[in-house]
Amino acid sequence: MTAREDVLRLEHAPHTPIALFDEVGRLRGWSPAFGEACTLTANQLAHRHVWDLWLDLDAERWNDIWQKVHANGLAIVIQVKERCSCQGCNEIVELEIGRFLYDERWFAKIEYRRAAAWRLHLIQQEVLEAMAYGLPLKAIMDTLCRKVEQLAPSVTCSVLEVDPQLRLRHIASPSLPEEYSAAIDGLPIGAKAGSCGTAAYRGEPVEVVDIATDPLWEDYRQLALPLGLRACWSSPIKSSDGRVLGAFAFYYPRSRGPNLLERQIVRTCLHLCMIAMEHEETRSRAYEYAFSDPLTRLANRTRFQQRLSELLALVAETGQKVAVHYVGLDRFQAINEMLGYAAGDEILQSIGSRLATLVRDREALARIGGDEFALVQVGDLKDDDVAGQARRIGAVVEEPFIVAGQPLQLGASIGIAIGPEDSKTADVLIHNAALAMRRMKELGRGTYVFYEKQLNERMQRRRRTELDLRNALSRGELELYFQPIFSLKTGAIEQAEALLRWNHPERGMVLPSEFIPLAEQCGLIQEIGEWVIRKVCALAAKWPGSVGVAVNLSPLQFENSDLGKVVASALEVSGLDPSRLELEITESVLLRDCAISIAILDELAELGVSIALDDFGTGFSSLSYLQRFKVDRIKIDHSFVRDMNTSEGSLKIVRAIVMLAHSLGLKVTAEGVETDDQLAAVRGEGCDAVQGFYTGFPCSLAEFVEQLERVNGSAAPAA
Ligand code: C2E
Ligand code: CA
Ligand code: CA
């Protein structure tokens, strides 16, 4: 009897209940109820008809019956191979038809199996579909392994990934014992690293037919053998550009190599794994792009905000606290300008990795902006814990760098906001911490400050001040004060430093520390700076004698190539002798080292005015540029002068500065002398001139002129 005849016979046996099993042995359907024509043909099987359910038999019951009758020899089983007639398919369909008598009735069991290629095709479709739905790689690979194991029942399948440190990482192996997968995870690939580690290392398949004897398994066979794994055939999964991404392995319970079908399966699977893993790479790159900072590889602001929201939700339940540390680097812009952006990038990267040592698992770290970082601290935090962390942040930032052979030191200004106290929302908390950080910068940089509600009010006041400042010049509210600078040789007033004041109609006398930075930020500094130069020249030209006058310049004034012309014109209009005018600049102007600043300094030197280096010692104090630029005077910052009598370090610095300056032919002024002792000390170290509250406060023009006549009128004239 041929298969076709048998099928036909079934067609003509309408009362025979028939069960249909699919390619992996699952019960797919039953013939219709008794009495109805049963039209079961190979073609219909191939087209996967869904059959009406018959009676209350379930799959288990069917199998149960089948097992019994089969065992009792009551079944007739015929195997048939048919070519599928569905269009263009031309696949071989295997049919297994069993007929059996049970409970005095005839039953039929029909199983159909597609050829492996077809089934592989189905697996492939399923995997690609899963990828399209965005399922995680692990889940997709898990399904792949299970399907493959159904197709090739004697194998156990495993997929591993190779991480950037060239270690094997477990992705999927649903049928391997968990302890085995865990033991494999993290093993380095190598020339003798089992089947997978070696395959990934060599970039070619490794067939180990007997784990018990193969030398590649020497170090690992004790892991595999006790679990019944006897042979392992592993193939490298390669990307489309040839990189080894992972390994795809078949384990066997007996000592053997792969058969033809298995080779065909693995070919398809390697291709699928490649697509899935490359897809995952692209996905995680896209994720990284969206959520991380490409330079430091830290989280970016978006990711940080998300993470902070999660942590806030968490502490709302546990009653713990989060502290946001907003870190702004001090003087970073100057480094960028001085050493170039590549060096700046390098420093940002190191700062990133230094800060990373301070965050624990649950916490978060991000680069929020150019030179700004943020850290979250979580726990039962007391103010002391938070302050301790802020100090640690400051300390790691302050560790010196060596860039281009030069030691460099940065500082950090840190603003801290605490959740849920200051806010329960992430973006507000970050904003508050940022406000506190800006406040820290205004206060003079270099440490940390906690956010306070008043800060918001301060920011608003600042905005109002900015509006007022725009009108200050035209309303004549700016005024110049003068502080005398005494010669230590003659005791006469050698110079006056012009110091700007803002006579605010409501707030009274405002100090420059409050409005100069603001003027710099809102672009008013050029206009104000020019006014100061012209006004000072005009006033000083009328002073008795040949006393000098010093004007402070903002570094931003060097961005305007007109500065030389402005000074020249101020001298000409006022008739002030150029030798009486000194311009005070800070080191940052020299550090910029840009063509415009150099050209301007040359232009000023040609005019015959002198240049003083202000606040010396607080910046980079790279002394090499003292030779490169034409500087006439150094003003030692008051912080050194203040500490000279108490700190050996400060005393040594002052001594070194004086020696160096004198050897280069520069004059030295000590700033901020407040006591008799300090005066004696700076005199002892050989400074040429002195400025400070001890010898004279900044005062109005009238008071200064009066003092000038009094002091210089009676003091011995300068030699
Ligand atoms: P600076 O150039 O270092 O000026 C010296 C500052 O130290 C002045 O503060 C002065 O009042 C203060 N001072 C003088 N003697 C002592 C002392 O013995 N002890 C202490 N603790 N301080 C002393 P002021 O007038 O508040 O000016 C602050 C800063 O504002 C100046 O620092 C300067 O950088 C800037 N500034 C002042 N006027 C101008 C200006 O017209 N243009 C520009 N761009 N900046 C200016
Ligand atoms: Ca100054
Ligand atoms: Ca100064």
Side-chain angles (χ1 to χ4, degrees):
M1 183 166 54
T2 68
R4 184 158 294 285
E5 278 168 41
D6 193 74
V7 171
L8 287 176
R9 189 102 57 82
L10 282 174
E11 273 182 34
H12 296 289
H15 301 297
T16 307
I18 297 167
L20 172 67
F21 294 81
D22 69 8
E23 63 264 43
V24 292
R26 280 176 310 202
L27 184 68
R28 296 300 292 255
W30 290 259
S31 61
F34 295 150
E36 277 176 42
C38 172
T39 51
L40 188 66
T41 68
N43 280 347
Q44 279 170 323
L45 288 173
H47 285 117
R48 299 165 139 255
H49 258 244
V50 177
W51 299 76
D52 300 332
L53 294 186
W54 175 68
L55 299 177
D56 53 354
L57 279 184
D58 59 14
E60 247 173 73
R61 183 105 177 85
W62 252 108
N63 274 329
D64 193 38
I65 294 174
W66 175 248
Q67 297 300 328
K68 277 186 194 141
V69 295
H70 201 258
N72 294 332
L74 295 171
I76 314 155
V77 180
I78 314 154
Q79 278 178 340
V80 195
K81 281 193 184 178
E82 282 267 332
R83 209 165 268 285
C84 175
S85 65
C86 75
Q87 246 182 351
C89 155
N90 213 25
E91 274 284 341
I92 300 293
V93 183
E94 294 171 7
L95 284 172
E96 191 179 89
I97 302 165
R99 305 193 62 194
F100 60 93
L101 196 62
Y102 182 78
D103 212 7
E104 296 179 0
R105 288 220 306 254
W106 276 98
F107 290 83
K109 172 180 186 280
I110 300 184
E111 265 184 66
Y112 74 99
R113 244 175 270 142
R114 292 277 199 168
W118 174 258
R119 288 196 274 163
L120 264 177
H121 176 72
L122 294 180
I123 294 178
Q124 192 165 326
Q125 234 171 357
E126 203 164 326
V127 167
L128 293 175
E129 231 166 72
M131 275 167 52
Y133 280 119
L135 293 190
L137 181 67
K138 275 186 191 298
I140 297 174
M141 291 294 127
D142 215 71
T143 311
L144 178 69
C145 290
R146 286 178 202 279
K147 298 272 161 183
V148 165
E149 286 167 3
Q150 282 168 355
L151 192 57
S154 64
V155 309
T156 303
C157 185
S158 132
V159 186
L160 298 167
E161 186 178 29
V162 177
D163 74 9
Q165 285 73 43
L166 301 183
R167 290 172 188 282
L168 296 174
R169 290 292 169 199
H170 173 256
I171 294 189
S173 50
S175 312
L176 279 177
E178 248 172 58
E179 69 261 37
Y180 181 76
S181 303
I184 294 286
D185 193 61
L187 291 181
I189 67 169
K192 218 181 105 184
S195 302
C196 292
T198 313
Y201 179 78
R202 291 186 191 160
E204 53 188 51
V206 169
E207 281 182 39
V208 169
V209 290
D210 194 353
I211 289 178
T213 56
D214 197 298
L216 291 182
W217 276 82
E218 200 178 304
D219 299 336
Y220 303 109
R221 64 174 59 106
Q222 284 324 311
L223 282 176
L225 294 175
L227 299 169
L229 306 171
R230 262 317 277 282
C232 178
W233 168 46
S234 179
S235 311
I237 303 166
K238 291 192 183 173
S239 64
S240 42
D241 57 5
R243 285 172 298 127
V244 174
L245 303 173
F248 183 86
F250 274 1
Y251 287 87
Y252 303 101
R254 289 181 294 114
S255 160
R256 74 158 170 103
N259 62 28
L260 274 176
L261 171 65
E262 288 160 3
R263 287 190 193 279
Q264 188 188 0
I265 295 175
V266 166
R267 257 200 307 280
T268 306
C269 287
L270 286 176
H271 190 67
L272 281 174
C273 289
M274 172 198 96
I275 297 174
M277 285 163 94
E278 282 195 337
H279 182 73
E280 182 69 15
E281 267 189 356
T282 319
R283 209 162 66 151
S284 61
R285 231 180 285 135
Y287 180 89
E288 241 192 41
Y289 187 74
F291 292 110
S292 82
D293 161 49
L295 179 68
T296 57
R297 306 232 152 229
L298 300 179
N300 64 10
R301 188 188 196 99
T302 316
R303 179 74 194 105
F304 185 76
Q305 206 157 322
Q306 283 177 352
R307 182 79 193 112
L308 183 57
S309 298
E310 289 164 14
L311 289 171
L312 279 165
L314 195 82
V315 298
E317 284 172 15
T318 61
Q320 292 182 314
K321 288 182 186 176
V322 296
V324 176
H325 297 257
Y326 202 106
V327 185
L329 302 182
D330 297 335
R331 299 190 291 270
F332 181 73
Q333 206 41 43
I335 291 196
N336 250 349
E337 284 166 6
M338 174 176 67
L339 299 168
Y341 287 95
D345 284 355
E346 211 178 287
I347 287 177
L348 288 174
Q349 284 167 338
S350 330
I351 297 266
S353 23
R354 288 180 185 183
L355 291 176
T357 62
L358 300 181
V359 291
R360 290 170 301 180
D361 264 3
R362 288 199 301 156
E363 300 172 336
L365 164 66
R367 178 169 170 234
I368 296 259
D371 57 358
E372 293 175 356
F373 294 81
L375 290 86
V376 184
Q377 185 184 7
V378 194
D380 298 310
L381 303 175
K382 310 243 170 1
D383 276 3
D384 269 358
D385 305 321
V386 178
Q389 175 76 331
R391 278 194 295 271
R392 285 190 289 277
I393 294 171
V396 299
V397 172
E398 277 166 25
E399 270 168 44
F401 290 95
I402 306 286
V403 178
Q406 278 200 54
L408 264 186
Q409 198 179 14
L410 252 72
S413 295
I414 303 162
I416 303 167
I418 307 227
E421 281 160 39
D422 294 330
S423 171
K424 292 187 184 66
T425 32
D427 49 348
V428 176
L429 214 49
I430 297 173
H431 177 78
N432 289 351
L435 272 186
M437 188 277 283
R438 309 245 179 282
R439 176 75 187 126
M440 186 66 251
K441 290 220 166 192
E442 285 173 18
L443 286 175
R445 314 180 155 190
T447 53
Y448 59 90
V449 66
F450 283 85
Y451 167 79
E452 289 163 26
K453 294 242 161 20
Q454 302 88 298
L455 270 180
N456 256 324
E457 290 154 26
R458 260 192 65 83
M459 287 321 260
Q460 277 165 17
R461 204 172 75 211
R462 190 188 158 95
R463 240 161 262 141
R464 273 201 303 277
T465 310
E466 187 184 316
L467 288 178
D468 288 352
L469 188 59
R470 288 188 187 277
N471 298 317
L473 256 185
S474 57
R475 290 186 188 150
E477 291 167 5
L478 295 185
E479 195 180 331
L480 285 162
Y481 268 41
F482 295 92
Q483 186 176 25
I485 299 172
F486 288 85
S487 159
L488 281 171
K489 282 198 195 78
T490 66
I493 296 177
E494 184 180 319
Q495 270 185 324
E497 177 173 358
L499 296 164
L500 195 55
R501 298 290 180 264
W502 177 13
N503 210 340
H504 192 280
E506 288 146 32
R507 290 163 56 193
M509 210 51 105
V510 185
L511 288 175
S513 53
E514 267 202 65
F515 65 88
I516 293 283
L518 193 62
E520 288 177 336
Q521 276 163 32
C522 66
L524 284 168
I525 194 67
Q526 306 289 357
E527 204 184 328
I528 293 178
E530 179 169 346
W531 179 85
V532 171
I533 295 169
R534 291 185 184 279
K535 186 81 180 173
V536 166
C537 290
L539 294 175
K542 298 197 192 102
W543 291 347
S546 59
V547 69
V549 69
V551 173
N552 289 289
L553 295 181
S554 156
L556 294 186
Q557 287 174 272
F558 281 80
E559 279 172 12
N560 177 358
S561 53
D562 278 349
L563 182 60
K565 290 195 194 72
V566 169
V567 174
S569 142
L571 289 169
E572 198 185 311
V573 171
S574 64
L576 181 73
D577 190 316
S579 65
R580 290 176 62 196
L581 179 62
E582 190 158 270
L583 300 172
E584 298 194 359
I585 62 173
T586 51
E587 287 163 280
S588 64
V589 172
L590 304 182
L591 289 173
R592 281 169 185 242
D593 203 2
C594 71
I596 297 186
S597 313
I598 295 172
I600 293 176
L601 282 170
D602 285 346
E603 219 179 325
L604 294 174
E606 259 168 51
L607 290 174
V609 302
S610 40
I611 303 290
L613 212 45
D614 204 358
D615 306 336
F616 193 80
T618 56
F620 294 98
S621 308
S622 162
L623 300 168
S624 57
Y625 50 62
L626 286 178
Q627 283 174 308
R628 271 196 285 147
F629 300 98
K630 201 193 148 312
V631 173
D632 307 276
R633 181 191 296 274
I634 284 177
K635 297 185 79 174
I636 302 179
D637 191 66
H638 59 79
S639 54
F640 299 105
V641 174
R642 189 188 56 211
D643 298 343
M644 263 174 90
N645 290 320
T646 52
S647 143
E648 184 76 3
S650 290
L651 180 69
K652 282 188 177 151
I653 290 173
V654 171
R655 193 167 290 165
I657 294 175
V658 173
M659 243 160 59
L660 177 95
H662 284 168
S663 72
L664 291 170
L666 314 182
K667 280 184 256 169
V668 179
T669 299
E671 282 192 291
V673 171
E674 291 181 353
T675 66
D676 194 23
D677 288 352
Q678 290 168 351
L679 181 61
V682 298
R683 194 193 292 277
E685 293 307 324
C687 293
D688 302 284
V690 63
Q691 172 184 7
F693 294 165
Y694 185 71
T695 49
F697 287 98
C699 56
S700 69
L701 172 72
E703 283 170 304
F704 172 70
V705 173
E706 191 265 324
Q707 192 183 5
L708 184 62
E709 278 164 349
R710 187 160 37 81
V711 177
N712 283 15
S714 60

